[in-house]
Amino acid sequence: MGAMTAVTLHINGERFSRELDNRTTLLDLLREHAHLSGAKKGCDHGQCGACTVLLDGRRVNACLLLAVSMDGTDVTTIEGLSDGNALHPLQQAFLDHDAFQCGFCTPGQICSAVAAIAEARAGWPSVVTAQDEPEGPVELTAPEVRERMSGNLCRCGAYVNIVSAVREVAR
Amino acid sequence: MGATRIPGNITQGSTAKGGIGESTLRPDGTLKVTGEFAYSSDMWHEDMLWGFTLRSPHAHAEIKSIDTSEALAQAGVYAVLTYDDLPTDVKNYGLEIQDTPVLAHGRVRHHGEPVALVAADHPETARRAAAKIKVEYVQLPVVHDEQTALAEDAPLLHPGRDDHHAGHVPHPNVVHRQPIHRGDVAAARARADVIVSGEYVVGMQDQAFLGPESGLAVPAEDGGVDLYIATQWLHSDLRQIAPVLGLPPEKVRMTLSGVGGAFGGREDLSMQIHACLLALRTGKPVKIVYNRFESFFGHVHRHPAKLWYEHGATKDGKLTHMRCRIVLDGGAYASASPAVVGNASSLSVGPYVIDDVEIEAVALYTNNPPCGAMRGFGAVQACFAYEAQMDKLAAELGMDPVEFRRLNAMSQGTLLPTGQVVDSPAPVAELLRRIKAMPLPPERQWETAGESADVRALPGGLSNTTHGEGVVRGVGYAVGIKNVGFSEGFDDYSTARVRLEVVGGEPVAVVHTAMAEVGQGGVTVHAQIARTELGVTQVTIHPADTQVGSAGSTSASRQTYVTGGAVKNTCEAVREKVLELGRARFGSYHPAWATAELLLESGKVVTDGGEVLADLVEVLEGEAIDLELEWRHRPTEAFDLHTGQGNGHVQYSFAAHRAVVEVDTELGLVKVVELACAQDVGRALNPLSVVGQIQGGTTQGLGLAVMEEIVVSKEAKVRNPSFTDYLIPTILDTPTIPVDVLELADEHAPYGLRGIGEAPTLSSTPAVVSAIRAATGLALNRVPVRPEHLTGT
């Protein structure tokens, strides 16, 4: 048994408190301790993006963060995006555009897209738009969506539909 | 702690509307976008243990001894199993040839072969315990290519073979060999004005599904086991699992859990037997989840291939003959190698008319990683080579490469090298015409209104390696042919159970099959078929399991054809029962019950003239109609082992691609700007899903063209088992993919449909490489094309 540390955070608005082995990742906290299996473990190395969740509103790879460093944070997972039975606009757009096939990457894609749209609205530049030093919201053109979503792999190759789903909600 | 999580209701009743031909949304889609869909790696059981697999660090070695005592002594470890713990005399498994050991017995034949199993209370405990198992290996010489495999003194991978191919192969390290001879090649060759030949190489591609191999085995009170698993074919797994466990099949109850992609890589077993063995030994539920590193060792890959081709043509551009020899590296175990040989040989001619051919395809046993099914198998490798040859011939003749292909394109009625007549539409020339007629994407898309360049449109992308200097555009074309369904005499059938009853005052159809939904949208199509055939709105998709008959494999582009056909067939039988009931109850009230063609529409029995005879609810009253029926496509035959003749295939699928690339010729970097596809789908049962399949297959073909390869060393070791080193296309690598769908019905198939999933994976790769050749003038005889192939460094 390794060293243990108590951690308290809010997951999808609910308080979650647990004493955890220091080596536990945020992803394992979510999947194995909070039993929220929406965030997926595709590689556990920050390479695929399937574990993307929102940490204090910003997108992160949950597999690359240690749970004990999450004390006092707010984490939103795919399970926390919908409002009761009403889907989040991005969830609906992914459905309508058939922006997935097997769906394994989808929770990560959608969480990533939520943050990508927020980042663009807040005027965060991409590598390319940074050259022009934009002021105010950045328009999510197809190349902008591609650049900003490039941390999330989709092996089924639903990328074309992911671009259109994200752009629809960004408008 | 935590609720037990198993796939009780993976796909629930859908309120989605829509019969066949409509772009109905997926019934499992809401679960997938909300994170509730339970994938195999999400299975959970209270008190479950975690399994881990110890794998061989060597490609070929004798096992002198295994000492598990230290591992067993670890706190939290419940079981350590080796070959000696296998409970019955059945210790091997395999799709066609049972040559794969459940756990290594005295010898390992490839890097990563399973040697021992551990069950522990935490995955890390299991992993650490496995590291304490002491295995004494003595390394053996490695067979890693054709030369070392077929040498006179080559170590035999499987001495004493007694499988059904053993008697006809030229060497025991050849899994299967298929020659095909037709016509008189010498005479035809003499008529040729130009002859071109070449040797082509296809690297080892990986399915790289994002959902790793995983599942949960739960021991049952009756001594059996319940297995929740991601697979492509439940009943094929069952056939291989039960004998090893020493259980009758009915005591191994399998339920499909969510499948995070497959692409062929789940056609073979991975952790299925291992989890069951550990569960039965410990009496506790056991979950196994491979990590990404292990996943690269946990499934078979696409066969790497060497292909030698010779074609001739007359001055006016007519193909005279073709000779080819295709060598596929099957790795240590047979897996799907025999079928890959069958496809590669019988489709080696491509979608062209060539009457005089000499063809040979072989698959080897080597110490390389085992290779088997991946989307388009056999046909993908051949397509890269014959399409390169078509470009070479066109160049030699000074003809336009598309016009040259159109001049030689097969069509309905063409005789294949196997002697089989293509008896459904084969619009190869038309697909090529359409793909060429599509507007080209704008040039120099990196140029912006400002001073800076949009590097995302350039080779090198965000690495910012060029702003257009040294960048050359190229355009390339390719077309391919893929067989649909299981070929060569295989009894390829599917089973569908359909129950029609009234629930809450409304007629509801429950469709129950064992079809593995892996993302292809089979459950969507089943619901659409039930709505069309039974005139209901509400359709519930029962979870796929082994409580119903086999649905065959989710592979070979076959599920919509065969299991879709089975659902249609059972629905038609259910409809007949409904009409019988109706005639018995209401037949005396209206003569049309006896005389008219009757249909079920919008919950009513109607005449073909549209007259309503009765409500379905009234006809059924309290009764449920519940039927389970098998359905088969037309039978096929084996290819003759000497001549290759035989009606081996049931249907073909054709796609054509045009690739537009920008190449940074100084750095050898490639940007695929657009990959347009035209494909004949027979009939689009769900147009939205059809386009998604075509775009997905196209993207995987792009991966093989310029990115994806499992690098295997001369010592037969895998060098790049991670997503850092094995690159698959990202959203930035994926271009726009305009799709032109042609619908020419195949009269032999349900609704005239054509299996579609694989064809777009074939021609995508050679189209991209053809475009790179056009940009650079280089020969490029291997995929994936790497920067050093373009720069010559």
Side-chain angles (χ1 to χ4, degrees), chain B residues 153-182:
Chain B
D153 59 346
L156 299 186
L157 267 288
H158 300 277
R161 280 176 61 182
D162 59 358
D163 60 84
H164 57 281
H165 297 297
H168 71 81
V169 292
H171 187 287
N173 281 342
V174 173
V175 187
H176 175 45
R177 172 179 180 269
Q178 180 65 62
I180 302 176
H181 300 289
R182 187 157 194 90

PDB file of all heavy atoms in Angstrom, chain B residues 153-182:
ATOM      1  N   ASP B 153      16.993 -25.279 -44.055  1.00  0.00           N
ATOM      2  CA  ASP B 153      17.159 -25.594 -42.635  1.00  0.00           C
ATOM      3  C   ASP B 153      16.366 -24.636 -41.736  1.00  0.00           C
ATOM      4  O   ASP B 153      16.681 -24.464 -40.563  1.00  0.00           O
ATOM      5  CB  ASP B 153      18.643 -25.535 -42.270  1.00  0.00           C
ATOM      6  CG  ASP B 153      19.242 -24.157 -42.554  1.00  0.00           C
ATOM      7  OD1 ASP B 153      18.585 -23.364 -43.265  1.00  0.00           O
ATOM      8  OD2 ASP B 153      20.354 -23.884 -42.063  1.00  0.00           O
ATOM      9  N   ALA B 154      15.341 -24.010 -42.309  1.00  0.00           N
ATOM     10  CA  ALA B 154      14.565 -23.030 -41.525  1.00  0.00           C
ATOM     11  C   ALA B 154      13.907 -23.713 -40.333  1.00  0.00           C
ATOM     12  O   ALA B 154      13.384 -24.823 -40.457  1.00  0.00           O
ATOM     13  CB  ALA B 154      13.505 -22.398 -42.402  1.00  0.00           C
ATOM     14  N   PRO B 155      13.935 -23.073 -39.177  1.00  0.00           N
ATOM     15  CA  PRO B 155      13.163 -23.603 -38.058  1.00  0.00           C
ATOM     16  C   PRO B 155      11.682 -23.639 -38.445  1.00  0.00           C
ATOM     17  O   PRO B 155      11.199 -22.677 -39.052  1.00  0.00           O
ATOM     18  CB  PRO B 155      13.393 -22.583 -36.930  1.00  0.00           C
ATOM     19  CG  PRO B 155      14.476 -21.665 -37.389  1.00  0.00           C
ATOM     20  CD  PRO B 155      14.565 -21.780 -38.878  1.00  0.00           C
ATOM     21  N   LEU B 156      11.001 -24.701 -38.141  1.00  0.00           N
ATOM     22  CA  LEU B 156       9.581 -24.796 -38.484  1.00  0.00           C
ATOM     23  C   LEU B 156       8.762 -24.181 -37.354  1.00  0.00           C
ATOM     24  O   LEU B 156       8.924 -24.538 -36.185  1.00  0.00           O
ATOM     25  CB  LEU B 156       9.176 -26.251 -38.700  1.00  0.00           C
ATOM     26  CG  LEU B 156       9.903 -26.972 -39.840  1.00  0.00           C
ATOM     27  CD1 LEU B 156       9.294 -28.368 -40.040  1.00  0.00           C
ATOM     28  CD2 LEU B 156       9.843 -26.164 -41.134  1.00  0.00           C
ATOM     29  N   LEU B 157       7.882 -23.253 -37.713  1.00  0.00           N
ATOM     30  CA  LEU B 157       7.031 -22.618 -36.701  1.00  0.00           C
ATOM     31  C   LEU B 157       6.095 -23.639 -36.077  1.00  0.00           C
ATOM     32  O   LEU B 157       5.838 -23.615 -34.881  1.00  0.00           O
ATOM     33  CB  LEU B 157       6.234 -21.471 -37.338  1.00  0.00           C
ATOM     34  CG  LEU B 157       6.826 -20.064 -37.269  1.00  0.00           C
ATOM     35  CD1 LEU B 157       6.742 -19.508 -35.877  1.00  0.00           C
ATOM     36  CD2 LEU B 157       8.278 -20.041 -37.751  1.00  0.00           C
ATOM     37  N   HIS B 158       5.581 -24.538 -36.931  1.00  0.00           N
ATOM     38  CA  HIS B 158       4.615 -25.519 -36.427  1.00  0.00           C
ATOM     39  C   HIS B 158       4.955 -26.893 -36.995  1.00  0.00           C
ATOM     40  O   HIS B 158       4.324 -27.336 -37.957  1.00  0.00           O
ATOM     41  CB  HIS B 158       3.186 -25.096 -36.793  1.00  0.00           C
ATOM     42  CG  HIS B 158       2.806 -23.766 -36.221  1.00  0.00           C
ATOM     43  ND1 HIS B 158       2.341 -23.629 -34.927  1.00  0.00           N
ATOM     44  CD2 HIS B 158       2.863 -22.516 -36.738  1.00  0.00           C
ATOM     45  CE1 HIS B 158       2.111 -22.346 -34.683  1.00  0.00           C
ATOM     46  NE2 HIS B 158       2.424 -21.646 -35.763  1.00  0.00           N
ATOM     47  N   PRO B 159       5.944 -27.563 -36.401  1.00  0.00           N
ATOM     48  CA  PRO B 159       6.308 -28.893 -36.903  1.00  0.00           C
ATOM     49  C   PRO B 159       5.139 -29.863 -36.726  1.00  0.00           C
ATOM     50  O   PRO B 159       4.355 -29.730 -35.793  1.00  0.00           O
ATOM     51  CB  PRO B 159       7.503 -29.294 -36.028  1.00  0.00           C
ATOM     52  CG  PRO B 159       7.544 -28.336 -34.900  1.00  0.00           C
ATOM     53  CD  PRO B 159       6.756 -27.130 -35.271  1.00  0.00           C
ATOM     54  N   GLY B 160       5.037 -30.796 -37.658  1.00  0.00           N
ATOM     55  CA  GLY B 160       3.980 -31.809 -37.552  1.00  0.00           C
ATOM     56  C   GLY B 160       2.600 -31.268 -37.830  1.00  0.00           C
ATOM     57  O   GLY B 160       1.624 -31.732 -37.239  1.00  0.00           O
ATOM     58  N   ARG B 161       2.496 -30.286 -38.722  1.00  0.00           N
ATOM     59  CA  ARG B 161       1.177 -29.713 -39.032  1.00  0.00           C
ATOM     60  C   ARG B 161       0.218 -30.775 -39.563  1.00  0.00           C
ATOM     61  O   ARG B 161       0.606 -31.602 -40.399  1.00  0.00           O
ATOM     62  CB  ARG B 161       1.325 -28.628 -40.108  1.00  0.00           C
ATOM     63  CG  ARG B 161       1.791 -27.301 -39.600  1.00  0.00           C
ATOM     64  CD  ARG B 161       1.997 -26.337 -40.754  1.00  0.00           C
ATOM     65  NE  ARG B 161       0.759 -26.078 -41.511  1.00  0.00           N
ATOM     66  CZ  ARG B 161       0.702 -25.306 -42.590  1.00  0.00           C
ATOM     67  NH1 ARG B 161       1.805 -24.732 -43.053  1.00  0.00           N
ATOM     68  NH2 ARG B 161      -0.435 -25.103 -43.220  1.00  0.00           N
ATOM     69  N   ASP B 162      -1.023 -30.721 -39.110  1.00  0.00           N
ATOM     70  CA  ASP B 162      -2.024 -31.630 -39.674  1.00  0.00           C
ATOM     71  C   ASP B 162      -3.295 -30.877 -40.078  1.00  0.00           C
ATOM     72  O   ASP B 162      -4.359 -31.463 -40.191  1.00  0.00           O
ATOM     73  CB  ASP B 162      -2.366 -32.752 -38.671  1.00  0.00           C
ATOM     74  CG  ASP B 162      -2.907 -32.191 -37.368  1.00  0.00           C
ATOM     75  OD1 ASP B 162      -2.987 -30.945 -37.231  1.00  0.00           O
ATOM     76  OD2 ASP B 162      -3.263 -32.993 -36.484  1.00  0.00           O
ATOM     77  N   ASP B 163      -3.148 -29.540 -40.259  1.00  0.00           N
ATOM     78  CA  ASP B 163      -4.327 -28.785 -40.692  1.00  0.00           C
ATOM     79  C   ASP B 163      -4.620 -29.078 -42.149  1.00  0.00           C
ATOM     80  O   ASP B 163      -3.832 -29.712 -42.851  1.00  0.00           O
ATOM     81  CB  ASP B 163      -4.076 -27.274 -40.469  1.00  0.00           C
ATOM     82  CG  ASP B 163      -2.869 -26.777 -41.243  1.00  0.00           C
ATOM     83  OD1 ASP B 163      -3.041 -26.459 -42.431  1.00  0.00           O
ATOM     84  OD2 ASP B 163      -1.753 -26.725 -40.674  1.00  0.00           O
ATOM     85  N   HIS B 164      -5.774 -28.592 -42.635  1.00  0.00           N
ATOM     86  CA  HIS B 164      -6.224 -28.961 -43.978  1.00  0.00           C
ATOM     87  C   HIS B 164      -5.442 -28.271 -45.088  1.00  0.00           C
ATOM     88  O   HIS B 164      -5.664 -28.567 -46.256  1.00  0.00           O
ATOM     89  CB  HIS B 164      -7.728 -28.715 -44.123  1.00  0.00           C
ATOM     90  CG  HIS B 164      -8.139 -27.312 -43.834  1.00  0.00           C
ATOM     91  ND1 HIS B 164      -8.276 -26.842 -42.550  1.00  0.00           N
ATOM     92  CD2 HIS B 164      -8.413 -26.281 -44.640  1.00  0.00           C
ATOM     93  CE1 HIS B 164      -8.619 -25.577 -42.587  1.00  0.00           C
ATOM     94  NE2 HIS B 164      -8.717 -25.208 -43.838  1.00  0.00           N
ATOM     95  N   HIS B 165      -4.564 -27.341 -44.754  1.00  0.00           N
ATOM     96  CA  HIS B 165      -3.696 -26.770 -45.788  1.00  0.00           C
ATOM     97  C   HIS B 165      -2.324 -27.451 -45.826  1.00  0.00           C
ATOM     98  O   HIS B 165      -1.569 -27.263 -46.771  1.00  0.00           O
ATOM     99  CB  HIS B 165      -3.497 -25.266 -45.560  1.00  0.00           C
ATOM    100  CG  HIS B 165      -4.758 -24.476 -45.670  1.00  0.00           C
ATOM    101  ND1 HIS B 165      -5.485 -24.389 -46.830  1.00  0.00           N
ATOM    102  CD2 HIS B 165      -5.444 -23.751 -44.750  1.00  0.00           C
ATOM    103  CE1 HIS B 165      -6.552 -23.629 -46.631  1.00  0.00           C
ATOM    104  NE2 HIS B 165      -6.559 -23.235 -45.380  1.00  0.00           N
ATOM    105  N   ALA B 166      -2.023 -28.217 -44.767  1.00  0.00           N
ATOM    106  CA  ALA B 166      -0.671 -28.772 -44.617  1.00  0.00           C
ATOM    107  C   ALA B 166      -0.275 -29.622 -45.824  1.00  0.00           C
ATOM    108  O   ALA B 166       0.887 -29.626 -46.241  1.00  0.00           O
ATOM    109  CB  ALA B 166      -0.582 -29.588 -43.337  1.00  0.00           C
ATOM    110  N   GLY B 167      -1.243 -30.330 -46.416  1.00  0.00           N
ATOM    111  CA  GLY B 167      -0.938 -31.277 -47.481  1.00  0.00           C
ATOM    112  C   GLY B 167      -0.582 -30.622 -48.805  1.00  0.00           C
ATOM    113  O   GLY B 167       0.060 -31.242 -49.644  1.00  0.00           O
ATOM    114  N   HIS B 168      -0.979 -29.405 -49.045  1.00  0.00           N
ATOM    115  CA  HIS B 168      -0.774 -28.825 -50.378  1.00  0.00           C
ATOM    116  C   HIS B 168       0.237 -27.684 -50.405  1.00  0.00           C
ATOM    117  O   HIS B 168       0.534 -27.151 -51.482  1.00  0.00           O
ATOM    118  CB  HIS B 168      -2.111 -28.365 -50.977  1.00  0.00           C
ATOM    119  CG  HIS B 168      -2.697 -27.145 -50.330  1.00  0.00           C
ATOM    120  ND1 HIS B 168      -2.284 -25.877 -50.636  1.00  0.00           N
ATOM    121  CD2 HIS B 168      -3.661 -26.990 -49.396  1.00  0.00           C
ATOM    122  CE1 HIS B 168      -2.962 -25.001 -49.933  1.00  0.00           C
ATOM    123  NE2 HIS B 168      -3.796 -25.639 -49.154  1.00  0.00           N
ATOM    124  N   VAL B 169       0.755 -27.286 -49.250  1.00  0.00           N
ATOM    125  CA  VAL B 169       1.691 -26.149 -49.272  1.00  0.00           C
ATOM    126  C   VAL B 169       3.100 -26.638 -49.629  1.00  0.00           C
ATOM    127  O   VAL B 169       3.460 -27.772 -49.321  1.00  0.00           O
ATOM    128  CB  VAL B 169       1.711 -25.395 -47.917  1.00  0.00           C
ATOM    129  CG1 VAL B 169       0.381 -24.683 -47.700  1.00  0.00           C
ATOM    130  CG2 VAL B 169       2.020 -26.338 -46.763  1.00  0.00           C
ATOM    131  N   PRO B 170       3.886 -25.768 -50.272  1.00  0.00           N
ATOM    132  CA  PRO B 170       5.217 -26.194 -50.722  1.00  0.00           C
ATOM    133  C   PRO B 170       6.234 -26.292 -49.593  1.00  0.00           C
ATOM    134  O   PRO B 170       7.310 -26.868 -49.795  1.00  0.00           O
ATOM    135  CB  PRO B 170       5.616 -25.093 -51.717  1.00  0.00           C
ATOM    136  CG  PRO B 170       4.816 -23.899 -51.322  1.00  0.00           C
ATOM    137  CD  PRO B 170       3.542 -24.416 -50.756  1.00  0.00           C
ATOM    138  N   HIS B 171       5.935 -25.712 -48.437  1.00  0.00           N
ATOM    139  CA  HIS B 171       6.875 -25.710 -47.317  1.00  0.00           C
ATOM    140  C   HIS B 171       6.042 -25.601 -46.039  1.00  0.00           C
ATOM    141  O   HIS B 171       5.024 -24.894 -46.031  1.00  0.00           O
ATOM    142  CB  HIS B 171       7.836 -24.516 -47.461  1.00  0.00           C
ATOM    143  CG  HIS B 171       8.959 -24.495 -46.468  1.00  0.00           C
ATOM    144  ND1 HIS B 171       8.780 -24.188 -45.145  1.00  0.00           N
ATOM    145  CD2 HIS B 171      10.282 -24.741 -46.616  1.00  0.00           C
ATOM    146  CE1 HIS B 171       9.943 -24.236 -44.505  1.00  0.00           C
ATOM    147  NE2 HIS B 171      10.880 -24.596 -45.387  1.00  0.00           N
ATOM    148  N   PRO B 172       6.462 -26.263 -44.964  1.00  0.00           N
ATOM    149  CA  PRO B 172       5.645 -26.195 -43.739  1.00  0.00           C
ATOM    150  C   PRO B 172       5.525 -24.793 -43.148  1.00  0.00           C
ATOM    151  O   PRO B 172       4.634 -24.545 -42.338  1.00  0.00           O
ATOM    152  CB  PRO B 172       6.386 -27.120 -42.760  1.00  0.00           C
ATOM    153  CG  PRO B 172       7.324 -27.925 -43.583  1.00  0.00           C
ATOM    154  CD  PRO B 172       7.617 -27.158 -44.816  1.00  0.00           C
ATOM    155  N   ASN B 173       6.411 -23.875 -43.540  1.00  0.00           N
ATOM    156  CA  ASN B 173       6.269 -22.491 -43.086  1.00  0.00           C
ATOM    157  C   ASN B 173       5.393 -21.656 -44.015  1.00  0.00           C
ATOM    158  O   ASN B 173       5.352 -20.434 -43.906  1.00  0.00           O
ATOM    159  CB  ASN B 173       7.638 -21.825 -42.927  1.00  0.00           C
ATOM    160  CG  ASN B 173       8.322 -22.245 -41.628  1.00  0.00           C
ATOM    161  OD1 ASN B 173       7.664 -22.745 -40.709  1.00  0.00           O
ATOM    162  ND2 ASN B 173       9.627 -22.052 -41.556  1.00  0.00           N
ATOM    163  N   VAL B 174       4.690 -22.307 -44.943  1.00  0.00           N
ATOM    164  CA  VAL B 174       3.675 -21.622 -45.750  1.00  0.00           C
ATOM    165  C   VAL B 174       2.316 -22.037 -45.193  1.00  0.00           C
ATOM    166  O   VAL B 174       1.989 -23.221 -45.158  1.00  0.00           O
ATOM    167  CB  VAL B 174       3.783 -21.994 -47.244  1.00  0.00           C
ATOM    168  CG1 VAL B 174       2.619 -21.400 -48.033  1.00  0.00           C
ATOM    169  CG2 VAL B 174       5.109 -21.499 -47.811  1.00  0.00           C
ATOM    170  N   VAL B 175       1.536 -21.041 -44.740  1.00  0.00           N
ATOM    171  CA  VAL B 175       0.220 -21.360 -44.176  1.00  0.00           C
ATOM    172  C   VAL B 175      -0.697 -21.894 -45.256  1.00  0.00           C
ATOM    173  O   VAL B 175      -1.353 -22.920 -45.099  1.00  0.00           O
ATOM    174  CB  VAL B 175      -0.426 -20.098 -43.543  1.00  0.00           C
ATOM    175  CG1 VAL B 175      -1.718 -20.476 -42.812  1.00  0.00           C
ATOM    176  CG2 VAL B 175       0.533 -19.395 -42.599  1.00  0.00           C
ATOM    177  N   HIS B 176      -0.738 -21.165 -46.378  1.00  0.00           N
ATOM    178  CA  HIS B 176      -1.642 -21.521 -47.466  1.00  0.00           C
ATOM    179  C   HIS B 176      -1.093 -20.912 -48.747  1.00  0.00           C
ATOM    180  O   HIS B 176      -0.488 -19.839 -48.711  1.00  0.00           O
ATOM    181  CB  HIS B 176      -3.055 -20.987 -47.175  1.00  0.00           C
ATOM    182  CG  HIS B 176      -4.052 -21.198 -48.282  1.00  0.00           C
ATOM    183  ND1 HIS B 176      -4.191 -22.385 -48.973  1.00  0.00           N
ATOM    184  CD2 HIS B 176      -4.993 -20.368 -48.807  1.00  0.00           C
ATOM    185  CE1 HIS B 176      -5.155 -22.267 -49.875  1.00  0.00           C
ATOM    186  NE2 HIS B 176      -5.659 -21.061 -49.788  1.00  0.00           N
ATOM    187  N   ARG B 177      -1.297 -21.604 -49.851  1.00  0.00           N
ATOM    188  CA  ARG B 177      -0.881 -21.091 -51.159  1.00  0.00           C
ATOM    189  C   ARG B 177      -2.044 -21.240 -52.112  1.00  0.00           C
ATOM    190  O   ARG B 177      -2.700 -22.284 -52.152  1.00  0.00           O
ATOM    191  CB  ARG B 177       0.314 -21.895 -51.682  1.00  0.00           C
ATOM    192  CG  ARG B 177       0.714 -21.571 -53.105  1.00  0.00           C
ATOM    193  CD  ARG B 177       1.926 -22.399 -53.532  1.00  0.00           C
ATOM    194  NE  ARG B 177       2.311 -22.098 -54.901  1.00  0.00           N
ATOM    195  CZ  ARG B 177       1.858 -22.748 -55.971  1.00  0.00           C
ATOM    196  NH1 ARG B 177       0.990 -23.733 -55.835  1.00  0.00           N
ATOM    197  NH2 ARG B 177       2.266 -22.411 -57.181  1.00  0.00           N
ATOM    198  N   GLN B 178      -2.315 -20.175 -52.868  1.00  0.00           N
ATOM    199  CA  GLN B 178      -3.392 -20.236 -53.862  1.00  0.00           C
ATOM    200  C   GLN B 178      -2.888 -19.744 -55.208  1.00  0.00           C
ATOM    201  O   GLN B 178      -2.658 -18.547 -55.387  1.00  0.00           O
ATOM    202  CB  GLN B 178      -4.584 -19.382 -53.425  1.00  0.00           C
ATOM    203  CG  GLN B 178      -5.749 -19.409 -54.411  1.00  0.00           C
ATOM    204  CD  GLN B 178      -6.387 -20.783 -54.528  1.00  0.00           C
ATOM    205  OE1 GLN B 178      -6.914 -21.316 -53.554  1.00  0.00           O
ATOM    206  NE2 GLN B 178      -6.291 -21.401 -55.710  1.00  0.00           N
ATOM    207  N   PRO B 179      -2.692 -20.655 -56.159  1.00  0.00           N
ATOM    208  CA  PRO B 179      -2.397 -20.214 -57.530  1.00  0.00           C
ATOM    209  C   PRO B 179      -3.702 -20.032 -58.312  1.00  0.00           C
ATOM    210  O   PRO B 179      -4.710 -20.673 -57.989  1.00  0.00           O
ATOM    211  CB  PRO B 179      -1.595 -21.390 -58.098  1.00  0.00           C
ATOM    212  CG  PRO B 179      -2.014 -22.586 -57.290  1.00  0.00           C
ATOM    213  CD  PRO B 179      -2.647 -22.114 -56.009  1.00  0.00           C
ATOM    214  N   ILE B 180      -3.674 -19.159 -59.295  1.00  0.00           N
ATOM    215  CA  ILE B 180      -4.802 -19.023 -60.223  1.00  0.00           C
ATOM    216  C   ILE B 180      -4.227 -18.920 -61.636  1.00  0.00           C
ATOM    217  O   ILE B 180      -3.375 -18.065 -61.896  1.00  0.00           O
ATOM    218  CB  ILE B 180      -5.660 -17.777 -59.920  1.00  0.00           C
ATOM    219  CG1 ILE B 180      -6.211 -17.822 -58.484  1.00  0.00           C
ATOM    220  CG2 ILE B 180      -6.816 -17.666 -60.918  1.00  0.00           C
ATOM    221  CD1 ILE B 180      -6.990 -16.577 -58.078  1.00  0.00           C
ATOM    222  N   HIS B 181      -4.690 -19.809 -62.496  1.00  0.00           N
ATOM    223  CA  HIS B 181      -4.245 -19.778 -63.893  1.00  0.00           C
ATOM    224  C   HIS B 181      -5.449 -19.660 -64.792  1.00  0.00           C
ATOM    225  O   HIS B 181      -6.443 -20.350 -64.595  1.00  0.00           O
ATOM    226  CB  HIS B 181      -3.491 -21.075 -64.252  1.00  0.00           C
ATOM    227  CG  HIS B 181      -2.280 -21.289 -63.402  1.00  0.00           C
ATOM    228  ND1 HIS B 181      -1.156 -20.519 -63.528  1.00  0.00           N
ATOM    229  CD2 HIS B 181      -2.043 -22.170 -62.404  1.00  0.00           C
ATOM    230  CE1 HIS B 181      -0.257 -20.926 -62.624  1.00  0.00           C
ATOM    231  NE2 HIS B 181      -0.774 -21.915 -61.935  1.00  0.00           N
ATOM    232  N   ARG B 182      -5.330 -18.787 -65.782  1.00  0.00           N
ATOM    233  CA  ARG B 182      -6.404 -18.671 -66.765  1.00  0.00           C
ATOM    234  C   ARG B 182      -5.799 -18.170 -68.066  1.00  0.00           C
ATOM    235  O   ARG B 182      -4.943 -17.277 -68.048  1.00  0.00           O
ATOM    236  CB  ARG B 182      -7.473 -17.708 -66.250  1.00  0.00           C
ATOM    237  CG  ARG B 182      -8.675 -17.678 -67.142  1.00  0.00           C
ATOM    238  CD  ARG B 182      -9.938 -17.202 -66.435  1.00  0.00           C
ATOM    239  NE  ARG B 182     -11.063 -17.541 -67.277  1.00  0.00           N
ATOM    240  CZ  ARG B 182     -11.734 -18.692 -67.224  1.00  0.00           C
ATOM    241  NH1 ARG B 182     -11.431 -19.593 -66.312  1.00  0.00           N
ATOM    242  NH2 ARG B 182     -12.709 -18.941 -68.061  1.00  0.00           N
TER     243      ARG B 182
END
